[in-house]
Amino acid sequence: MREFEYVRATEAGQAVATVTQDPRASYLAGGTTQLDLMKDGVLEPELLVDITRLPLRGVSRDGDTLRVGALTTMEELAADPTVAARLPFVREALLLGASVQLRNMATIGGNLLQRARCRYFRDPTVPACNKRRRGTGCAAVTGAARMHAILGADEHCIAVHASDLAVPLVALDASVRVMGADGERSVPLTDFYLIPGDTPDLENVLVHGELIVAVDVPLPRVGTRSAYVKVRDRASYEFALASAAVAMTLDGGVIREARVALGGVGTVPWRAREAEELLRGAPPGPSVFLAAAEATVRSPFTVPGTAFKVELAKRILVRTLSTVAGVTS
Ligand code: FAD
Ligand code: SF4
């Protein structure tokens, strides 16, 4: 690992100013992504600004919005009573991720900003990776690609956005509060992540130096049912091959509102708006669930290693919809 300078920030504005004015500076939160990538030689910051002592930790409620401080850990958020009562699929997504040791270190801000798990991205001896260096090509398109994306992907990059938490948060229309040199702004999570296209190195709309200070999560109406289902190669401590987050309100035998997103198959956490349109006002059942799944996985980009995900994504969505609606598929 290359040598770097380390400072511990005591005030958010000071941290933002320090990173903003130095293009070789990065934030350090729990370190579970950042330090791995530094050890592997993928990231080589010259200055690390440790933000873990900033007062950005904890969960508070403002009416029907839950404000989650960026430094709240995954375990702390999963243990929050409002999350358990009103956002069960957020809790499930958190507890199905990583391991308890990692979740005690990993922060919510860092989770949303975790980097690609693509093996070629994480191996600097592989020259072809447009995400590491724009214009070099994509080794995964012709290589081993089981863990890669089929939605929002093309020949430039097929890396999945690996966060489980981001999947229900995208479905809920959560937004990220960001502090920059010019003050604070709020960005809907659905607009936060960027489809790679020919600039896979740009993963989100943050400007260098901007700090996530909180995530605002709108609480769904009382009585909303939800579930997060994750399929993976082993039963624990593994990223998703495919996952689905569904929140649904049923009224008088029809679906009043459905919020749907997929994980493990998209280059960004994948909001399934066409599925939501089809589901709204329909009686729950296998045929509408299948139609919603078909609409979501329309126009996939596949390579031999990821072709199986087309059927897997549809099946996991049908299964999650059926689970939430309480019908057998
Ligand atoms: P750091 O590593 O400190 O930072 C990550 C990135 O975000 C860095 O670039 C850092 O500069 C930046 N950053 C951090 N906080 C902020 C902020 N507030 N504002 C601006 N920039 C910031 N995740 C899942 O969702 N599901 C899994 O199944 C899963 N399994 C895992 C298994 C392993 C073995 C490991 C190592 C990780 C796994 N993860 C999984 C990822 C894990 O959840 C993330 O590594 C973690 O959430 C990152 O949080 P952190 O606080 O450690 O971030
Ligand atoms: Fe790099 Fe993306 Fe291709 Fe992986 S999928 S090698 S991250 S360009």
Side-chain angles (χ1 to χ4, degrees):
M1 183 159 56
R2 227 167 84 164
E3 284 195 6
F4 59 90
E5 207 184 321
Y6 167 91
V7 294
R8 181 178 285 161
T10 52
E11 198 265 316
Q14 165 223 358
V16 170
T18 306
V19 176
T20 301
Q21 68 197 22
D22 184 346
R24 301 303 306 263
S26 289
Y27 293 118
L28 177 69
T32 61
T33 289
Q34 182 69 25
L35 294 180
D36 275 4
L37 290 170
M38 288 170 65
K39 286 179 195 162
D40 289 343
V42 177
L43 299 179
E44 297 187 318
E46 288 178 0
L47 171 63
L48 269 192
V49 177
D50 181 343
I51 56 173
T52 52
R53 305 299 162 93
L54 298 180
L56 301 175
R57 193 165 179 170
V59 184
S60 60
R61 189 162 166 187
D62 180 8
D64 279 340
T65 301
L66 207 62
R67 174 157 293 189
V68 183
L71 293 173
T72 309
T73 67
M74 292 171 71
E75 275 294 306
E76 287 167 347
L77 185 58
D80 181 81
T82 307
V83 172
R86 299 286 298 278
L87 302 167
F89 69 157
V90 170
R91 179 179 155 81
E92 288 160 14
L94 286 162
L95 295 180
L96 287 170
S99 63
V100 70
Q101 292 90 342
L102 280 160
R103 296 194 300 265
N104 275 320
M105 288 299 292
T107 64
I108 298 309
N111 183 285
L112 297 180
L113 291 174
Q114 65 178 280
R115 306 298 305 277
R117 305 307 298 189
C118 172
R119 66 163 72 168
Y120 306 109
F121 171 71
R122 288 177 176 251
D123 182 354
T125 65
V126 176
C129 176
N130 288 323
K131 192 179 279 299
R132 253 190 291 113
R133 190 137 177 253
R134 197 187 293 180
T136 54
C138 172
V141 166
T142 51
R146 182 171 172 76
M147 299 301 292
H148 288 69
I150 57 169
L151 300 176
D154 65 20
E155 71 282 3
H156 296 101
C157 182
I158 56 172
V160 153
H161 194 281
S163 166
D164 287 297
L165 172 65
V167 184
L169 291 190
V170 159
L172 286 165
D173 283 318
S175 51
V176 177
R177 290 206 67 78
V178 174
M179 182 189 283
D182 300 327
E184 279 193 28
R185 64 182 177 129
S186 175
V187 185
L189 210 50
T190 45
D191 299 336
F192 183 75
Y193 296 109
L194 301 174
I195 298 279
D198 57 7
T199 54
D201 49 320
L202 304 178
E203 297 184 343
N204 56 57
V205 300
L206 286 185
V207 175
H208 177 75
E210 282 189 313
L211 177 74
I212 296 182
V213 292
V215 181
D216 288 335
V217 187
L219 294 171
R221 71 185 87 213
V222 173
T224 300
R225 306 178 191 178
S226 71
Y228 183 73
V229 176
K230 176 174 177 178
V231 173
R232 44 191 166 169
D233 274 331
R234 56 182 180 198
S236 72
Y237 199 30
E238 184 57 282
F239 289 92
L241 285 170
S243 68
V246 171
M248 191 185 283
T249 321
L250 291 154
D251 191 8
V254 296
I255 299 166
R256 186 164 160 198
E257 190 186 12
R259 292 173 170 274
V260 182
L262 291 182
V265 290
T267 52
V268 299
W270 200 260
R271 180 77 180 266
R273 292 196 191 275
E274 285 175 321
E276 294 174 0
E277 284 295 314
L278 280 165
L279 293 163
R280 193 170 302 121
S287 59
V288 72
F289 293 164
L290 188 57
E294 296 282 356
T296 303
V297 193
R298 194 172 290 149
S299 317
F301 176 88
T302 61
V303 295
T306 59
F308 75 101
K309 286 196 171 186
V310 175
E311 190 58 29
L312 182 66
K314 290 182 199 168
R315 288 189 188 199
I316 196 167
L317 184 46
V318 170
R319 189 167 119 202
T320 313
L321 288 164
S322 307
T323 302
V324 174
V327 301
T328 41
S329 53

